[in-house]
Amino acid sequence: MDAILTGESKQQPELPALCRLIAETAPVAMAGVDGPSHVVRYVNPAFCLLIGKAREELMEKSFSEAAPIQSECLSLLDRVYRSGKAEVHTGGEHAASDGFYWSCVIWPVLAAHGRCIGIMIQVTESTPVPLQRMNQALILGSVHQHELTEEAERLNEELRRANDDLKQFAFAASHDLQEPLRMITSFSQLLLKGYRGELDGEAGLCVDFITKGARHMRDLLADLLSYTGTSADREEADEWIDLNTIFEKVKENLTTAIEESSSVVTSGDLPTVRGHDARFVQLFQNLIGNAIKYRGGSPPHVHVSAEKRKAEWCFAVADNGIGIDPQYYELIFGVFKRLHGNTIPGTGIGLAICQRVVERCGGRIWVESRVGRGTTFYFTLPIREGNR
C-alpha cells in the first residue's frame, strides 16, 4: 500500500496486513494524497468504482484530475495540511461532472513528531449507489479480502516456523555449550592448584582471565536458557500462586547477596494470582536481585508492594539504589542491554525475562527512576476470578 497510509516516505514498508485489509475492503471511497502537491498516492477499490476508473489511471495524478470535485472542496486540502486538523465539509454537497453529488471528510496523516506528511480523503455519494455498482464493490472487496487473508496466513505460518527454529537453536546452543565451559573452568582451576607457585605472575593472570571468562559465559548461557524457557507454549501449568510464598522463596535464594550487602528486603501483603510458580520466582528474583546489585553508597532497602486497581493488580518493587537515566527506560528491557559494562556483573537478560513473564500473563512492565535517588519497577497482572 502506498506510503500515504503508512505515515512514512514512499520507500517505506507496507502497512501490516490487517490495516491494509481494512482500507482495501472499506465500503467507502478513500484516497491519499501528498500535502502541498495534491498528487494521488493511494486509492482503494471503492474509490475506483465511484470514479469509474482503474487504479492505474488515478495514481500519480493530481486529485483535481482524479476526482471531479468542486474547487471549494479542494481548498480544504491546503487548509488541513497547514493546520494539521481534520475538516468535515458541512456547507453543502459537491457536484461531480457526471451529475452525482459528493461530500468530503479530510484528515491529516501525522508523523510521530506531529508534522503533516499527507492527507486522506473520504468521499461519499449523497445519492443511493446503484445496486449493480454496489454488487461490484462487494465482489471486488471479497476477492481482495480472500487474497489478503491467504497472504496473512502464509506470513503467520512462516513467522511461527522461524520462531520455533530460533527457540530450538537457542536452547540447543545454550545447553550444549555448558559442558565445554565446565571443562574449561575445571581444568583452569586444576592448573592453578597443580602449579601453584610455579606459574609466573603473567601466566597466573591469564589462567584467572580464562576462569572468569568461562564463568561469565556459563552465567550468560544459563540466563539465555531461562529466557528461551519463558517462550515456551502456553500449555504450561496454570495454578493459583500465593505471591507471599514466592517472595519468601526469593529472599531465601538471595540470602548470600542480602547478607553481604546488608540489604533490607520487605514486602506488603501480596495477592494470590494465576500462573506458573517458577515464572514468578524468575520475575521477583531478577527485580530484587537488580535492586541489590545496583545499590548506592548506603545499604540497599527494597520494598515490594501490590495495589488493586479495577481489573488488575499493580505491583511495585522500589529501591534506594543508583537510579536510571530516563533516556534508558526502554533500552534496559532489551536482551543483552547493559548500562554499566563490566563494572557491575550481569548478563543483560534479567529484565528481558521479567518483561516476557509479565506480558505472557497479560500484564505490562515499566520503570520510574531518578539518578541517585532510587528506582521503582512497576508491573501489572490481570485480576482473574478467584484472585485475592
Side-chain angles (χ1 to χ4, degrees):
M1 185 176 296
D2 202 89
I4 190 68
L5 290 182
T6 67
E8 301 291 345
S9 66
K10 292 183 64 179
Q11 288 71 36
Q12 292 296 319
E14 295 185 348
L15 280 174
L18 179 60
C19 296
R20 182 183 177 88
L21 179 63
I22 292 171
E24 288 290 286
T25 59
V28 295
M30 298 172 61
V33 302
D34 279 343
S37 67
H38 302 173
V39 172
V40 176
R41 301 301 189 191
Y42 170 76
V43 290
N44 70 349
F47 188 91
C48 296
L49 285 171
L50 186 65
I51 300 298
K53 295 181 181 179
R55 189 186 302 232
E56 293 74 20
E57 297 177 85
L58 301 172
M59 297 294 288
E60 305 301 322
K61 299 285 184 62
S62 70
F63 190 68
S64 58
E65 295 178 64
I69 296 177
Q70 292 180 355
S71 59
E72 59 263 35
C73 181
L74 296 174
S75 66
L76 293 180
L77 298 179
D78 291 326
R79 193 159 74 194
V80 169
Y81 181 75
R82 290 193 303 269
S83 68
K85 297 180 180 179
E87 293 269 1
V88 179
H89 195 279
T90 57
E93 296 168 341
H94 304 278
S97 59
D98 62 356
F100 284 97
Y101 287 83
W102 297 343
S103 58
C104 297
V105 179
I106 305 170
W107 67 94
V109 178
L110 302 178
H113 44 67
R115 182 175 63 89
C116 181
I117 57 175
I119 301 171
M120 289 297 297
I121 306 108
Q122 175 185 312
V123 181
T124 306
E125 275 187 329
S126 61
T127 57
V129 180
L131 182 61
Q132 181 180 3
R133 294 174 66 189
M134 180 64 76
N135 288 337
Q136 290 175 344
L138 292 173
I139 292 171
L140 184 58
S142 177
V143 170
H144 277 279
Q145 182 175 6
H146 179 70
E147 293 174 350
L148 291 170
T149 300
E150 286 186 341
E151 178 68 9
E153 290 176 352
R154 183 185 67 79
L155 292 174
N156 284 338
E157 178 62 20
E158 289 182 2
L159 182 60
R160 185 191 65 77
R161 290 177 182 174
N163 283 338
D164 287 344
D165 291 343
L166 182 60
K167 285 189 288 186
Q168 292 175 10
F169 170 77
F171 181 84
S174 302
H175 186 271
D176 293 345
L177 285 172
Q178 294 280 357
E179 185 57 33
L181 283 173
R182 276 194 292 268
M183 291 179 61
I184 293 172
T185 303
S186 298
F187 280 104
S188 20
Q189 289 174 345
L190 287 173
L191 186 63
L192 283 174
K193 290 180 181 178
Y195 292 91
R196 189 178 301 277
E198 298 182 32
L199 297 173
D200 60 26
E202 186 175 350
L205 188 61
C206 289
V207 174
D208 187 51
F209 281 145
I210 293 172
T211 304
K212 289 181 179 178
R215 188 179 299 116
H216 178 69
M217 181 63 76
R218 181 194 62 202
D219 294 341
L220 188 63
L221 292 175
D223 282 349
L224 186 57
L225 280 171
S226 297
Y227 183 74
T228 55
T230 59
S231 302
D233 293 335
R234 291 183 180 271
E235 285 79 12
E236 61 184 15
D238 186 22
E239 53 194 359
W240 290 111
I241 305 295
D242 184 354
L243 294 183
N244 295 291
T245 303
I246 296 295
F247 175 76
E248 294 301 325
K249 184 174 182 178
V250 168
K251 281 185 65 177
E252 183 179 345
N253 292 346
L254 295 173
T255 297
T256 301
I258 291 173
E259 291 178 351
E260 289 180 350
S261 60
S262 301
S263 299
V264 176
V265 181
T266 59
S267 79
D269 187 34
L270 302 179
T272 297
V273 297
R274 295 286 292 186
H276 191 282
D277 57 352
R279 299 289 179 246
F280 288 125
V281 169
Q282 285 180 303
L283 174 61
F284 282 97
Q285 189 160 314
N286 275 302
L287 292 177
I288 297 173
N290 276 357
I292 296 173
K293 184 188 302 182
Y294 295 97
R295 56 185 178 270
S298 56
H301 284 253
V302 187
H303 184 70
V304 181
S305 60
E307 178 186 356
K308 194 173 185 179
R309 297 180 179 175
K310 295 183 180 180
E312 64 185 13
W313 288 103
C314 183
F315 296 83
V317 180
D319 65 54
N320 62 336
I322 60 177
I324 303 169
D325 192 301
Q327 65 178 310
Y328 301 119
Y329 283 178
E330 297 296 329
L331 176 69
I332 58 175
F333 290 102
V335 180
F336 304 128
K337 300 299 184 182
R338 306 189 66 238
L339 304 183
H340 301 279
N342 296 322
T343 58
I344 298 177
T347 60
I349 300 180
L351 289 177
I353 292 175
C354 293
Q355 185 178 53
R356 181 158 289 188
V357 169
V358 170
E359 289 180 351
R360 282 180 58 79
C361 292
R364 62 192 188 282
I365 185 170
W366 69 98
V367 63
E368 294 180 5
S369 179
R370 293 178 64 185
V371 176
R373 302 289 296 274
T375 299
T376 301
F377 281 92
Y378 295 94
F379 65 90
T380 63
L381 297 175
I383 294 177
R384 295 165 62 177
E385 186 176 350
N387 276 149
R388 60 184 188 276

